[in-house]
């Protein structure tokens, strides 16, 4: 989808603003893939056509009209009105997507005031003081329009006309069969070609003997998703404290979904810690957060994200005391009903691709699994919040060594202390140090276990080495 934007104003009065507006809009990564802008002074070459014929034809074929009004009304055309008002008349006969921006001024020409009064009765307008404010307001209007256009159709099933089988990353495609849990689909690889299998799982469609990806297929398999203008990236940040003041690690990913999931997991592992306790005869490495719960949340964020929202991204924020995962698009299920009723899928085709893989268990029951995983680790349940245009899940980490798992899980790495050939008193000392933050000196060790100075020194040295 590419929208043609027509900018209308008195050129002499807004020469700087017009050029600035076009430049900034076309530099904006959230907009430039959706728009092209007609500006008379930059887009019209010498021609035998009279200027009015040119701009009238251009405004009639434009998708959106942007009108900028200041103090000057402008020279009259043969219709007895300014070019700006004429352009508005021609556009509004055919379409109704017009936006006006009025500069805050103390004085205006009489005809300008009359035109402004007419606009007040037919449309709404926004005021501005400088070119920066003008750009901000225009950008906001265009993003709102684009979002409404994109959300009017079923996003993930939409066919990408300018895609082909050549846009499929062969490594991602081959790896898909490594994460499949559906034996029937796995067996088809030797009998069906890529186009047929991708069509079967709703990742694409064959039209007039030509294969095209769906948006869902591009998200999962494309080697160049950005080419198709799909908002899909994840921003990962590790902050130093409990706020966003200091960043100590940062990464963005624009990869296909299977690679993206791996990158998020690697970022998580390098930016979270493990504590250690002694339980029975084993030394247990306790993660700051259960990786299973984090995976659930990330898969849910990707599967249920509103991909029609332009200019937003999934964020994966790690603070010193919590993790926040924020996804564009409100939850389609009320917060109080999450996990208690059947899930509502925003992206059915995308969930269908997930359905055949090891991620299938994460789609549909993710909320319950998150809660259970956190509970088993002795942590509080995740918190869920719906905002105007996004959904947030928050995980709180361990506050102290007493907040230990209720039972050992796959998240906990266990080392058998018996295999380290430790003496009973050494294991007791290790429990005290790791579980109770007790600090042993040689003297304290002698007093506790009634051993000689040399034995105490040897025992403590062995604990350090092992």
């Amino acid at each position: 989808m590419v929208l043609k934007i027509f900018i209308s104003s008195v050129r002499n009065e807004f020469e700087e603003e017009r050029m600035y507006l076009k430049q900034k809009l076309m530099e904006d990564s959230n907009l430039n893939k959706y728009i092209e802008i007609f500006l008379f002074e930059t887009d019209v070459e010498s021609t035998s056509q009279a200027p009015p014929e040119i701009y009238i034809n251009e405004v009639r074929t434009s998708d959106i009209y942007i009108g900028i009004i200041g103090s000057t009304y402008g020279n009259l055309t043969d219709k007895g009105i300014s070019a700006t008002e004429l352009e508005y008349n021609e556009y509004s006969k055919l379409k109704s997507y017009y936006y006006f921006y009025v500069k805050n001024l103390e004085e205006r020409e009489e005809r300008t005031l009359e035109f402004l009064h007419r606009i007040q009765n037919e449309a709404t307008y926004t005021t501005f003081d400088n070119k920066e404010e003008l750009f901000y307001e225009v950008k906001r209007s265009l993003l709102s329009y684009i979002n409404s256009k994109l959300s009017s159709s079923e996003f993930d099933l939409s066919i990408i006309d300018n895609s082909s089988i050549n846009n499929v990353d062969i490594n991602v495609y081959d790896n898909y069969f490594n994460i499949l849990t559906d034996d029937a689909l796995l067996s088809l690889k030797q009998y069906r070609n890529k186009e047929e299998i991708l069509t079967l799982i709703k990742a694409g469609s064959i039209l007039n003997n030509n294969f095209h990806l769906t948006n869902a297929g591009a998200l999962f398999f494309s080697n160049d998703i950005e080419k198709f203008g799909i908002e899909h990236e994840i921003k990962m940040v590790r902050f130093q404290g409990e706020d966003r003041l200091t960043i100590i690690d940062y990464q963005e990913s624009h990869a296909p979904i299977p690679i993206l999931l791996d990158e998020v997991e690697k970022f998580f592992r390098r930016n979270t810690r493990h504590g250690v306790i002694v339980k029975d005869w084993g030394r247990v490495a306790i993660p700051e957060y259960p990786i299973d719960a984090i995976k659930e949340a990330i898969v849910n964020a990707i599967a249920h994200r509103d991909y029609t929202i332009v200019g937003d991204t999934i964020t994966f924020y790690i603070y010193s005391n919590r993790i926040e995962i924020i996804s564009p698009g409100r939850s389609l299920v009320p917060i109080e009903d999450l996990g208690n009723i059947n899930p509502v899928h925003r992206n059915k085709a995308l969930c269908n691709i997930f359905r055949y893989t090891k991620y299938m268990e994460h789609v549909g029951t993710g909320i319950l699994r998150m809660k259970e995983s956190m509970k088993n680790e002795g942590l509080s349940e995740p918190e869920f919040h719906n905002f105007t245009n996004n959904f947030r899940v928050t995980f709180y980490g361990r506050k102290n060594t007493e907040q230990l798992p209720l039972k050992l899980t796959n998240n906990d790495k266990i080392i058998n202390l018996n295999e380290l050939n430790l003496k009973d008193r050494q294991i007791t000392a290790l429990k005290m140090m790791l579980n109770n933050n007790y600090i042993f000196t040689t003297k304290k060790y002698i007093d506790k276990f009634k051993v000689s100075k040399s034995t105490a020194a040897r025992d403590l040295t062995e604990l350090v080495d092992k």
Side-chain angles (χ1 to χ4, degrees), residues 2 55 64 145 200 209 213 216 223 247 253 257 326-327 334 359 365 372 387 395 428 433:
V2 178
Y55 60 70
I64 296 175
Y145 176 85
L200 176 66
N209 295 321
L213 287 167
N223 51 22
I247 294 174
S253 178
I257 286 174
I326 304 174
S327 180
Y359 301 114
T365 58
E372 185 68 16
F387 300 97
F395 299 92
T428 300
M433 288 187 287

Side-chain angles (χ1 to χ4, degrees), residues 27 36 96 119 124 139-140 194 215 232 240 285 300-301 335 378 383 464:
E27 288 176 352
E36 59 181 29
S96 59
I119 291 170
T124 58
K139 176 183 175 179
R140 188 171 66 168
K194 291 194 294 290
N215 281 328
H232 72 289
Q240 188 173 45
N300 272 270
I335 295 296
E383 295 180 358
V464 172

Side-chain angles (χ1 to χ4, degrees), residues 69-114:
I69 298 177
S71 62
T72 306
Y73 180 68
N75 297 328
L76 301 184
T77 65
D78 57 4
K79 302 290 186 181
I81 57 177
S82 69
T84 301
E85 189 163 5
L86 177 61
E87 290 160 358
Y88 170 62
N89 289 349
E90 292 299 321
Y91 178 84
S92 59
K93 290 177 184 177
L94 303 172
K95 300 170 186 175
S96 59
Y97 301 111
Y98 37 76
Y99 301 91
F100 282 96
Y101 306 88
V102 180
K103 188 168 187 178
N104 289 317
L105 298 169
E106 292 185 0
E107 297 183 358
R108 304 184 200 275
E109 293 181 357
E110 186 63 30
R111 291 293 298 270
T112 303
L113 291 172
E114 292 175 5

Side-chain angles (χ1 to χ4, degrees), residues 147-159 215 306 308 346-347:
N147 285 334
S148 67
K149 290 290 287 184
L150 290 174
S151 62
S152 63
S153 59
E154 196 163 1
F155 167 81
D156 57 339
L157 280 172
S158 297
I159 302 297
N215 281 328
D306 187 344
T308 67
R346 176 179 276 117
N347 305 300

